[in-house]
Amino acid sequence: MAEKTEDQGAAPFIPDDRTLLLVDDDAPFLTRLARAMEQRGFEVMSAGTIREGKDLARTRKPAFAVIDLRLEDGNGLDVVAAIQEARPEARIVVLTGYGNIATAVAAVKLGAVDYLAKPSDADAIEDALLARGGDKATPPENPMSADRVRWEHIQRVYELCDRNVSETARRLNMHRRTLQRILAKRAPK
């Protein structure tokens, strides 16, 4: 296994092997992302729970990882810590639909190289995984509009609430009728 060769000002070590661990409890997203990353040359392993992710981190020692922060069975930072323990030079990107400064700082302190808001596309994720030194990932050519991001967030909460409009409205702190009008409309571009 190669040693981490990162000095002040030097470019970070990018592993030669392309093993990639994806951990997300959103099965459709996980499937799409796995397929897209395989097309980009990664050898993908997928997990839907913290336990599966930690087991794969210890046994397969991936060179790269994309971890959802909030999973049904816990916090994705537990998987980040397991990967760092198994393979310290691994390049990890943390994804979340619930971004805030404190969790971003915690993810980076545990060894994540980047922190992206969901939904993120495969190009942005690959750019973050392979970014060198002070390079920033290139901004997307056609980013989602703020209206689309809002709509995606509402849809995700709606699905997590088992399509219960009243519960979703309560959790989003909005009136039920307002939510019903939003859900009745088509997705914004």
Side-chain angles (χ1 to χ4, degrees):
M1 186 179 330
E3 291 296 314
K4 196 173 192 175
T5 59
E6 200 166 335
D7 298 332
Q8 289 287 20
F13 174 76
I14 304 287
D16 290 331
D17 72 285
R18 305 268 289 186
T19 53
L20 171 66
L21 172 61
L22 302 177
V23 183
D24 200 309
D25 55 5
D26 180 348
F29 174 77
L30 185 62
T31 302
R32 282 192 312 273
L33 183 58
R35 202 171 312 130
M37 298 311 280
E38 284 172 348
Q39 290 172 349
R40 287 165 174 76
F42 288 91
E43 180 188 324
V44 178
M45 307 165 258
S46 298
T49 66
I50 299 288
R51 179 186 223 168
E52 292 171 0
K54 287 168 77 173
D55 288 346
L56 284 169
R58 290 183 190 113
T59 58
R60 301 282 305 275
K61 297 177 176 42
F64 299 93
V66 178
I67 313 294
D68 188 10
L69 185 63
R70 284 197 185 172
L71 298 160
E72 284 184 22
D73 63 334
N75 190 321
L77 294 180
D78 294 338
V79 181
V80 172
I83 293 167
Q84 281 297 300
E85 186 178 307
R87 189 166 180 175
E89 77 276 9
R91 309 233 343 132
I92 305 166
V93 171
V94 174
L95 295 179
T96 186
Y98 308 93
N100 66 46
I101 299 295
T103 52
V105 169
V108 170
K109 281 184 177 180
L110 282 172
V113 295
D114 210 339
Y115 184 90
L116 301 174
K118 274 178 132 178
S120 288
D121 67 9
D123 290 333
I125 292 168
E126 181 183 31
D127 287 348
L129 287 171
L130 301 176
R132 294 193 175 271
D135 294 351
K136 290 183 180 177
T138 56
E141 287 294 321
N142 298 310
M144 279 194 275
S145 68
D147 290 335
R148 178 62 188 231
V149 171
R150 177 178 180 257
W151 186 86
E152 292 280 349
H153 176 67
I154 289 170
Q155 290 295 320
R156 185 174 193 318
V157 174
Y158 181 55
E159 291 299 325
L160 290 172
C161 291
D162 295 322
R163 298 176 158 252
N164 180 319
V165 174
S166 296
E167 178 65 13
T168 304
R170 183 186 69 74
R171 289 180 183 253
L172 292 172
N173 197 26
M174 72 173 39
H175 195 279
R176 183 179 53 79
R177 286 191 208 131
T178 301
L179 177 61
Q180 286 175 315
R181 282 193 293 274
I182 291 168
L183 293 172
K185 293 179 182 177
R186 300 184 123 209
K189 299 220 184 234

